[in-house]
Amino acid sequence: MDETAFPGRLPERDRPWVMRTYAGHSSASATNALFRRNLAKGQTGLSVAFDLPTQTGYDPDHELASGEVGRVGVPVAHLDDMRALFDGIPLAEMNTSMTINAPAMWLLALYAGVASEQDAELTRCAGTTQNDIIKEYLSRGTYIFPPAASLRLTADVVAYTLREMPRWNPVNICSYHLQEAGATPVQEVGFALATAVAVLDAVRDSGQVPAERMGDVVQRVSFFVNAGVRFVEEIAKMRAFGVLWDEITRERYGVTEARQRRFRYGVQVNSLGLTEAQPENNIQRIVLEMLGVTMSRDARARAVQLPAWNEALGLPRPWDQQWSLRMQQVLAYESDLLEYPDLFAGSHVMTALVDEIVAGARVELDKVLELGGVVSAVETGYLKSALVASLAERRRRMESGADVVVGVNRYAETEPSPLTAAGADAVEQVDPAVEAAAVDRVRRWRADRDGAAVDAALARLRADAASTANLMPATLDCVRAGVTTGEWAGALRQVFGEYRAPTGLAGATGSGGDPGLAAVRERVTATARELGSGRLRLLVGKPGLDGHSNGAEQIAVRARDAGFEVVYQGIRLTAAQIVAAAVEEDVDLVGLSVLSGSHLAAVPAVLDGLRAAGRADLPVVVGGIIPAGDADTLRAAGVARVFTPKDFALTDIIDDLVTVIRRANDLQ
């Protein structure tokens, strides 16, 4: 048989999607070296991970940045950091994605400054700033300003790039973290499209873009989605996204050209779905999730980045990232996937599943619009509450065994894994000296610049922020003057204020009839009675800049279901704030949640604070992505329990918390 003559084959093989790895840590120079190695291995685009201080608008020497610098991404505090990040990489020839949201305008301005120094025409520069602030209020927590002010920044970036950087995607509507926060496929599609509507409405209503150019705006809007292991459902989800995006952009914004209405998206498959237990199983999970966004030609991702098998253990090494890149390359170049038309065209099963998701997502979108749009849905807590409730239901199904996670709640028996035999060497280690070097670097930068020019640039930024002017020109002035990330964000904080998003805990329940919860509730009641208090009180604290609050919120919900009074003040707290809350609320236990790798700095700071406040007797437990060696260190420092992702049974965790309280109070 002549395979090349097969009638169902495309006349020529499709081009592969852009292949990326999400990379950045330690310093700009170290990340630059990692970029160069990855590009040499066949990676076709860059995806920059910024550290949490950069994402939340702080310089490395800020109090909240302590322990966070260079851990989950690269620190970029000023123009010279951005120069080092892209040293020797021609930006005009590279497709660069930057996962940055609240300070997206600032990082784009730094990028534009480096491009200009390279004599790269901005009109040739291609890439993406994520710049989707809405999901930050719901999942990742790296917001700074109130929603309306944040949408203004997004609209200003869209208008600027439309004029100056026509190949740039100025906003990347991100449903990825909605799924991690609990969204069902229907909610993921509906909530993400509600965000897209808010962005497009903000651009249209700003008066900066003529009505006849809304099609140009629409075609530069991209999406960033999550792909879970239920890959048939994920294929349908992506096709449903395309159906609804075409409908919305045609009917709401009058975009007549089909080319401009095309649903354009990149993807990272589900990192938080990877398991610490039997991590070798993550390989097949990643492959299945990749298939969900590549098999359907009519809804294929334009760019793909895959997590590494060991992300539930810590920061992946370059070899781990290489393995994930090779998965993409084998699928694209060794398989015949790119040789055929859409494999699901005419499928009754796929059509029915797509129609079901489309119908459900329309209901969710209409509900958000009836509330006054996505900003109102954030401010009232509707969206956050819906996600917390959905995630609680997902957890209930896993705990009950209705949803099987191989190696976790079924088939847990295992041989020792050679992949993890190296212990701490199985993940990348960030040198603690990185933070001190970054602090020294930013202080020297401030000392060497023209202070008067900085003051003038910041004064213009504040003045423009208080008006309706587009803030990109003032931001570019700040770049040229040598302003730092923290100073830029600080100036806008003075005008816009800061924001604390609703936690979504009100009314959420997660017990779902768990038969073990009644016994735990009895222990909670009995312990409170023996201590002579009305109820046991648990403080759930999120120290530092880690905004991934899903785990903390689920613990809070289950503890409340078990009879605890829960004190939860949200994310981004200093050690002093957590200690003050513990003392003022007279809690029986402090639970700290840290997923950013800063636990060895954040947790001892809380322990030291409790001792200084005369509450060394108050037990502290910690949960997060914590290597075994670090867990030993924390226990030696005085932590009563350390929980990691392998501890998935929430009711068992709450029962253990009661035991900790009883032992701390010498109860039998």
Side-chain angles (χ1 to χ4, degrees):
M1 175 181 176
D2 181 5
E3 292 185 352
T4 61
F6 185 71
R9 195 180 296 270
L10 292 170
E12 62 180 64
R13 185 181 177 89
D14 275 347
R15 284 191 307 167
W17 51 90
V18 175
M19 298 183 191
R20 295 186 171 120
T21 53
Y22 185 48
H25 67 82
S26 300
S27 67
S29 57
T31 301
N32 174 264
L34 181 60
F35 285 169
R36 289 169 179 254
R37 291 200 301 274
N38 287 343
L39 291 170
K41 294 170 184 173
Q43 182 176 303
T44 53
L46 295 178
S47 182
V48 186
F50 296 98
D51 72 353
L52 288 174
T54 305
Q55 292 185 52
T56 51
Y58 293 109
D59 288 335
D61 57 348
H62 192 278
E63 177 187 12
L64 276 170
S66 177
E68 306 277 14
V69 177
R71 290 207 168 270
V72 300
V74 56
V76 175
H78 46 72
L79 181 59
D80 204 44
D81 283 342
M82 192 65 99
R83 288 181 185 125
L85 183 64
F86 292 118
D87 182 42
I89 298 174
L91 294 182
E93 301 170 18
M94 182 58 55
N95 190 301
T96 305
S97 171
M98 296 191 286
T99 302
I100 195 74
N101 296 285
M105 175 182 286
W106 173 246
L107 271 297
L108 179 61
L110 289 174
Y111 171 96
V114 172
S116 297
E117 291 178 352
Q118 291 186 0
D119 291 327
E121 296 178 12
L122 291 181
T123 54
R124 293 181 56 205
C125 291
T128 302
T129 33
Q130 191 169 98
N131 205 14
D132 171 7
I133 198 62
I134 297 300
K135 58 92 175 50
E136 299 300 326
Y137 303 114
L138 305 175
S139 51
R140 287 185 73 247
T142 65
Y143 55 83
I144 303 174
F145 317 113
S150 297
L151 271 179
R152 174 193 169 180
L153 290 171
T154 300
D156 284 357
V157 169
V158 172
Y160 170 81
T161 56
L162 189 66
R163 294 190 305 270
E164 307 293 337
M165 303 176 70
R167 296 184 63 199
W168 194 266
N169 300 324
V171 62
N172 194 220
I173 306 298
C174 183
S175 73
Y176 175 90
H177 301 93
L178 299 181
Q179 185 183 119
E180 289 193 338
T184 64
V186 163
Q187 288 174 322
E188 185 180 345
V189 175
F191 294 171
L193 290 175
T195 297
V197 166
V199 170
L200 290 175
D201 282 0
V203 172
R204 180 195 60 196
D205 297 345
S206 73
Q208 299 186 71
V209 176
E212 63 272 16
R213 294 211 64 189
M214 281 302 292
D216 296 325
V217 173
V218 165
Q219 75 172 353
R220 298 318 308 174
V221 173
S222 61
F223 288 74
F224 185 68
V225 304
N226 200 331
V229 75
R230 293 172 57 84
F231 76 97
V232 176
E233 191 172 71
E234 295 296 337
I235 293 170
K237 180 184 77 180
M238 300 320 309
R239 294 169 75 93
F241 252 131
V243 169
L244 284 170
W245 181 241
D246 183 81
E247 177 184 299
I248 290 168
T249 53
R250 183 180 65 253
E251 296 180 3
R252 189 178 181 96
Y253 302 104
V255 180
T256 57
E257 290 191 35
R259 173 183 58 83
Q260 293 180 323
R261 298 196 308 268
R262 182 181 177 186
F263 182 74
R264 301 160 58 251
Y265 77 98
V267 66
Q268 165 143 335
V269 307
N270 188 11
S271 290
L272 285 191
L274 304 181
T275 63
E276 177 188 12
Q278 299 182 27
E280 60 274 11
N281 294 335
N282 294 330
I283 296 299
Q284 49 266 36
R285 292 186 180 108
I286 292 168
V287 171
L288 286 171
E289 291 163 352
M290 175 174 58
L291 290 175
V293 294
T294 55
M295 286 185 71
S296 174
R297 184 175 186 261
D298 292 346
R300 182 171 291 150
R302 298 282 290 273
V304 176
Q305 59 191 44
L306 303 181
W309 68 276
N310 55 351
E311 287 202 10
L313 306 178
L315 187 67
R317 300 160 299 185
W319 183 88
D320 305 314
Q321 290 191 326
Q322 174 184 299
W323 196 355
S324 292
L325 176 61
R326 295 293 184 246
M327 292 179 202
Q328 295 198 58
Q329 292 168 331
V330 168
L331 178 63
Y333 298 112
E334 293 190 29
S335 85
D336 58 353
L337 178 65
L338 299 181
E339 298 173 12
Y340 292 94
D342 194 276
L343 305 179
F344 300 95
S347 165
H348 299 300
V349 172
M350 186 58 66
T351 298
L353 188 52
V354 170
D355 289 347
E356 180 181 334
I357 295 174
V358 165
R362 273 203 194 100
V363 171
E364 293 290 353
L365 174 58
D366 289 344
K367 191 181 302 182
V368 171
L369 295 179
E370 286 169 8
L371 288 170
V374 76
V375 169
S376 295
V378 167
E379 293 174 339
T380 61
Y382 167 73
L383 289 177
K384 184 64 173 178
S385 294
L387 293 174
V388 171
S390 291
L391 185 56
E393 170 60 19
R394 185 190 300 172
R395 295 285 314 204
R396 185 200 65 77
R397 293 196 307 269
M398 187 178 76
E399 290 180 75
S400 69
D403 287 354
V404 174
V405 182
V406 174
V408 176
N409 65 356
R410 193 181 294 183
Y411 311 118
E413 300 78 11
T414 182
E415 299 295 328
S417 171
L419 291 177
T420 57
D425 291 337
V427 293
E428 186 80 22
Q429 300 296 316
V430 176
D431 188 340
V434 161
E435 184 165 319
V439 168
D440 179 66
R441 182 176 171 87
V442 74
R443 288 175 176 170
R444 282 190 287 110
W445 173 265
R446 293 194 199 109
D448 292 342
R449 66 193 180 174
D450 182 341
V454 168
D455 291 343
L458 290 172
R460 179 191 175 184
L461 179 65
R462 287 190 293 269
D464 283 3
S467 72
T468 58
N470 187 301
L471 293 178
M472 196 68 187
T475 297
L476 289 165
D477 269 2
C478 287
V479 168
R480 289 186 285 265
V483 167
T484 67
T485 297
E487 291 167 337
W488 177 87
L492 294 184
R493 282 182 169 100
Q494 292 174 8
V495 179
F496 297 146
E498 288 198 76
Y499 185 74
R500 293 199 71 79
T503 64
L505 298 188
T509 60
S511 57
D514 182 351
L517 191 65
V520 177
R521 192 179 290 119
E522 289 178 7
R523 289 192 75 206
V524 170
T525 302
T527 302
R529 184 171 56 249
E530 291 174 59
L531 290 175
S533 60
R535 297 175 70 185
L536 294 186
R537 296 167 66 80
L538 166 67
L539 172 65
V540 177
K542 290 285 297 176
L545 298 177
D546 168 33
H548 283 92
S549 58
N550 301 337
E553 289 155 0
Q554 292 304 309
I555 289 290
V557 168
R558 188 62 56 88
R560 191 180 60 194
D561 289 348
F564 275 89
E565 182 176 340
V566 177
V567 178
Y568 177 55
Q569 299 175 330
I571 61 172
R572 301 219 299 261
L573 300 173
T574 65
Q577 288 172 321
I578 292 172
V579 169
V583 173
E584 291 168 9
E585 300 286 350
D586 192 25
V587 299
D588 300 290
L589 178 68
V590 174
L592 303 178
S593 171
V594 187
L595 281 84
S596 65
S598 65
H599 44 268
L600 292 182
V603 176
V606 173
L607 293 172
D608 291 344
L610 289 172
R611 293 188 192 102
R615 289 303 314 269
D617 60 310
L618 188 58
V620 175
V621 301
V622 181
I625 299 175
I626 301 173
D630 288 358
D632 291 340
T633 301
L634 293 176
R635 282 188 284 264
V639 170
R641 292 284 191 284
V642 176
F643 301 99
T644 66
K646 70 177 182 300
D647 302 302
F648 71 93
L650 294 183
T651 299
D652 291 347
I653 293 174
I654 303 305
D655 191 38
D656 208 5
L657 298 186
V658 180
T659 299
V660 169
I661 292 172
R662 294 185 67 84
R663 289 181 178 172
N665 290 277
D666 297 322
L667 300 179
Q668 290 291 326

